Amino acid sequence: MRIILAGPPGAGKGTQAAWLVRRFRIPHLSTGELLRAAVEQGTALGRRAGGFMKAGQLVPDPLMVPLVLERLRELGPNAGFILDGFPRTRAQAETLDTALAERRLPLDAALLIEIPDQLSIERISGRRIDPATGIIYHAQFNPPPSDLAAGVVQRQDDTVPAVTARLAQYHAEEAFLVPFYEQLGLLRRVDGSGTPEEVSRRITVALGKADA
Ligand code: AMP
């Protein structure tokens, strides 16, 4: 199974990717996570990408495209994957399409998890992460246990101004991603509201795996 996962900030891409990894036993390739690791490790890529990320802007294609192509080259024949956060520009989509065709790794689906902007802002601006475990909480909807509350942190791009910028950016991406994957017959829209389990069930149906 080879899947592209897209959706606005807070749509639950990370949660659903973790579920898809367990469900289909395929690796999760998240460009946001790769970039955050690079920033944390202070690599050359991290130093160049950090400012764009903090402002909620896209990291330029000349930095992004080689990063993903390098990861794709590491995949064996018939490999499955969940590509989360890529492509986000037309150039990225076209490069990916060519790279996958060359390697005979056709996509099965481009999953678009959709939520209203207001829900995106509510979910993201309240998001808190335990840096020790990576567990994600929400300040109102799923607060951390009291002994962990003082240690949880907010991602620098999860503030209201940064989320607003990321949402505007997302809508620009959506405007070309939707027709691009619709034309290839790969687009699967999924309602991202409700519990993670409800969304996973909708994804199972959208992938045509309800009986598998
Ligand atoms: P995400 O975790 O997917 O929300 O990504 C966090 C941030 O990483 C984004 O706001 C961008 O700054 C950067 N980023 C992730 N994926 C890409 C991409 N495909 N192209 C450009 N920038 C990206």
Side-chain angles (χ1 to χ4, degrees):
M1 193 48 92
R2 284 179 287 276
I3 303 172
I4 282 178
L5 197 54
K13 296 194 298 288
T15 306
Q16 296 305 326
W19 173 79
L20 285 162
V21 166
R22 293 194 301 275
R23 174 77 170 72
F24 296 109
R25 297 176 196 282
I26 45 179
H28 175 208
L29 191 61
S30 155
T31 47
E33 275 172 23
L34 288 175
L35 290 169
R36 280 188 288 280
V39 170
E40 213 159 285
Q41 288 156 16
T43 65
L45 168 68
R47 285 196 300 276
R48 294 173 71 187
F52 295 103
M53 295 171 72
K54 198 171 164 186
Q57 293 167 0
L58 287 188
V59 174
D61 284 345
L63 291 178
M64 284 314 299
V65 170
L67 177 74
V68 173
L69 292 185
E70 192 187 311
R71 287 300 186 297
L72 290 178
R73 273 195 289 274
E74 290 165 2
L75 296 173
N78 297 322
F81 56 78
I82 303 154
L83 194 48
D84 169 2
F86 191 97
R88 272 175 155 142
T89 65
R90 183 177 294 277
Q92 290 180 8
E94 285 166 357
T95 313
L96 177 68
D97 206 38
T98 308
L100 293 177
E102 276 170 2
R103 305 211 51 213
R104 295 197 175 79
L105 294 171
L107 290 172
D108 292 286
L111 270 181
L112 187 69
I113 309 183
E114 300 181 295
I115 54 169
D117 285 2
Q118 189 50 40
L119 185 56
S120 179
I121 292 170
E122 266 171 37
R123 283 184 178 174
I124 289 290
S125 58
R127 182 156 75 173
R128 301 290 183 272
I129 301 172
D130 179 351
T133 59
I135 294 177
I136 295 174
Y137 298 96
H138 190 282
Q140 284 99 49
F141 308 142
N142 176 28
S146 52
D147 55 327
L148 297 180
V152 296
V153 295
Q154 183 177 37
R155 246 171 69 176
Q156 284 186 327
D157 58 352
D158 279 354
T159 60
V160 172
V163 182
T164 309
R166 286 163 67 198
L167 262 177
Q169 178 58 52
Y170 169 74
H171 288 304
E173 291 160 23
E174 191 190 14
F176 81 85
L177 275 182
V178 165
F180 188 91
Y181 286 108
E182 212 157 40
Q183 203 188 356
L184 295 173
L186 294 172
L187 189 75
R188 306 283 180 273
R189 291 174 184 271
V190 173
D191 173 4
S193 60
T195 66
E197 293 73 23
E198 284 167 333
V199 181
S200 301
R201 273 197 291 277
R202 290 180 202 131
I203 290 178
T204 308
V205 173
L207 294 176
K209 298 282 178 187
D211 303 315

